[in-house]
Amino acid sequence: MNDKVKSRVIGIDIDVNTTTIAVVDLRGNIIAQDSIQTEQYTSINSFVEALSERVIALAEANGGYENIRSVGMCAPSANFLTGCIENAANMPWKGIVPLAAMLRDSIGLAVALGNDAHCSALGESAYGVAHGMETFITITMVRSGLGSCFFSNGVAHLGYDGFAGEVGHACIEDGGRQCTCGRRGCLEEYVSNRGIIRTARELMEKTDTPSILRDAKELTLESILDAANKNDALAIEVWRYTGVLLGIGIANYASIVNPEAIIITGEIIKMVYPKMWDVVEETFKEHVFGNIRDKVKIVLSAVNDHERNVLGASALAWKVKEYSLFK
Ligand SMILES: [Zn+2]
């Protein structure tokens, strides 16, 4: 009789530069970590081979492979419903990549694959401020864009094809800026790193407002923040404009979902938060459906940014049925 309950999972976070592998216990403690350089593996077969070796070695060195229940992976443009990375713009592997099935066949354990936003929401639900919440939205602000996922009645709403929650590609301006998705006016083109820099550039072209940014060697998020901290009127306007559009975007989202909370997370949020948050909240209240206006909490994530995706991936690992080639 095999009645042993396996108490650990593997969480894997794949980004364009680094793939982080962690052994995680039931309570979300990271027991051990390792990493490989994603960009070194131009073929998916060599990546899966290297990843499998590291996963097995890390498990063997930390409590044994036999104690690993399953594996969760987080990757850009990943689809939980198909287990594939689908047409990821920045990754070395093009087209449809059946990564979950490839890793499962290689290491003999159940493997689940989700995108950054889905894993981030699962991490918040399992170990973060959304713990115990049934209906909530997470919005992830990273330099490259805006990811999102929402839970409805305790379950992540993935959509019919697995692409729900794409608030970054919700249109905020008819005929607006060209988006990387091929359409125009997407919210992401205004509130991502490139969008904020473009706003600064456009304000410099369209207005005569004096600004230290006009003499800056390079326009970056940091230089625009720095200028705003020095009371530069143009830089302050950049953050106001960004905050208004983000506020409208999340107000529309909240009016549809009616969440208990909106949890904001991601690598740039702590940096940009102090500069535009009052505007975001003000705009949100102005535009959200009246009956929920004062009920929705907008909160910052408490999950450590460096651990967010790997913990989210570990939470995903618990969602798949246990399976082993070696039973
Ligand atoms: Zn778009």
Side-chain angles (χ1 to χ4, degrees):
M1 187 173 82
N2 184 2
D3 57 358
K4 192 170 177 340
V5 175
K6 297 182 178 182
S7 58
R8 291 178 173 182
V9 293
I10 300 275
I12 300 172
D13 175 34
I14 301 169
D15 81 18
V16 63
N17 306 116
T18 309
T19 294
T20 308
I21 307 152
V23 176
V24 183
D25 75 7
L26 285 165
R27 296 176 192 277
N29 297 310
I30 295 177
I31 308 292
Q33 276 195 64
D34 195 4
S35 64
I36 57 175
Q37 293 309 303
T38 317
E39 59 209 340
Q40 278 184 6
Y41 302 94
T42 47
S43 101
I44 188 64
N45 289 319
S46 62
F47 176 73
V48 171
E49 198 179 315
L51 183 60
S52 304
E53 279 173 19
R54 293 295 186 95
V55 165
I56 292 166
L58 192 67
E60 286 297 356
N62 293 279
Y65 194 59
E66 66 279 8
N67 284 319
I68 303 295
R69 182 191 176 278
S70 47
V71 178
M73 276 192 294
C74 171
S77 305
N79 188 337
F80 176 73
L81 300 181
T82 62
C84 297
I85 294 179
E86 302 189 5
N87 306 309
N90 304 320
M91 302 303 281
W93 324 298
K94 302 302 168 204
I96 310 284
V97 179
L99 186 57
M102 290 176 82
L103 189 67
R104 180 200 63 200
D105 291 349
S106 176
I107 65 172
L109 291 175
V111 177
L113 175 69
N115 65 34
D116 307 35
H118 180 195
C119 289
S120 190
L122 282 168
E124 290 298 338
S125 173
Y127 318 114
V129 286
H131 193 78
M133 288 185 191
E134 294 258 299
T135 301
F136 66 92
I137 293 173
T138 56
I139 293 181
T140 310
M141 288 183 77
V142 293
R143 284 185 189 267
S144 58
L146 201 65
S148 169
C149 180
F150 67 98
F151 267 53
S152 180
N153 299 320
V155 184
H157 180 94
L158 300 176
Y160 182 67
D161 291 305
F163 296 106
E166 285 289 359
V167 69
H169 297 286
C171 185
I172 197 82
E173 190 183 343
D174 184 30
R177 297 175 184 173
Q178 180 67 49
C179 182
T180 52
C181 76
R183 295 176 308 124
R184 285 185 171 275
C186 296
L187 182 60
E188 183 165 294
E189 289 306 314
Y190 299 82
V191 303
S192 61
N193 190 53
R194 64 182 177 281
I196 296 166
I197 291 169
R198 183 163 171 182
T199 300
R201 202 164 279 139
E202 282 182 3
L203 281 171
M204 285 194 276
E205 283 165 14
K206 289 176 186 164
T207 70
D208 295 326
T209 313
S211 172
I212 51 176
L213 293 173
R214 292 183 188 277
D215 302 320
K217 268 193 204 140
E218 201 190 356
L219 269 182
T220 61
L221 224 50
E222 287 78 0
S223 68
I224 302 167
L225 273 174
D226 190 46
N229 286 336
K230 291 174 179 152
N231 276 328
D232 185 281
L234 191 136
I236 290 169
E237 175 55 19
V238 171
W239 293 113
R240 190 202 63 80
Y241 181 71
T242 308
V244 166
L245 293 190
L246 185 59
I248 293 174
I250 63 176
N252 289 342
Y253 200 171
S255 295
I256 295 165
V257 175
N258 184 15
E260 177 177 349
I262 298 171
I263 297 142
I264 316 278
T265 181
E267 75 196 57
I268 68 170
I269 189 60
K270 291 206 172 79
M271 199 161 80
V272 302
Y273 170 87
K275 274 288 149 271
M276 63 177 194
W277 214 253
D278 288 349
V279 179
V280 173
E281 293 211 340
E282 219 172 274
T283 314
F284 176 83
K285 288 197 170 181
E286 209 176 299
H287 292 274
V288 77
F289 180 58
N291 285 352
I292 64 169
R293 179 177 300 128
D294 297 315
K295 294 181 181 165
V296 183
K297 300 168 214 150
I298 304 181
V299 286
L300 279 185
S301 167
V303 178
N304 178 324
D305 245 9
H306 300 292
E307 296 179 347
R308 178 168 41 90
N309 284 358
V310 87
L311 280 178
S314 78
L316 188 65
W318 293 103
K319 301 280 178 198
V320 282
K321 277 189 184 168
E322 204 176 322
Y323 154 90
S324 172
L325 273 181
F326 309 113
K327 264 187 180 166

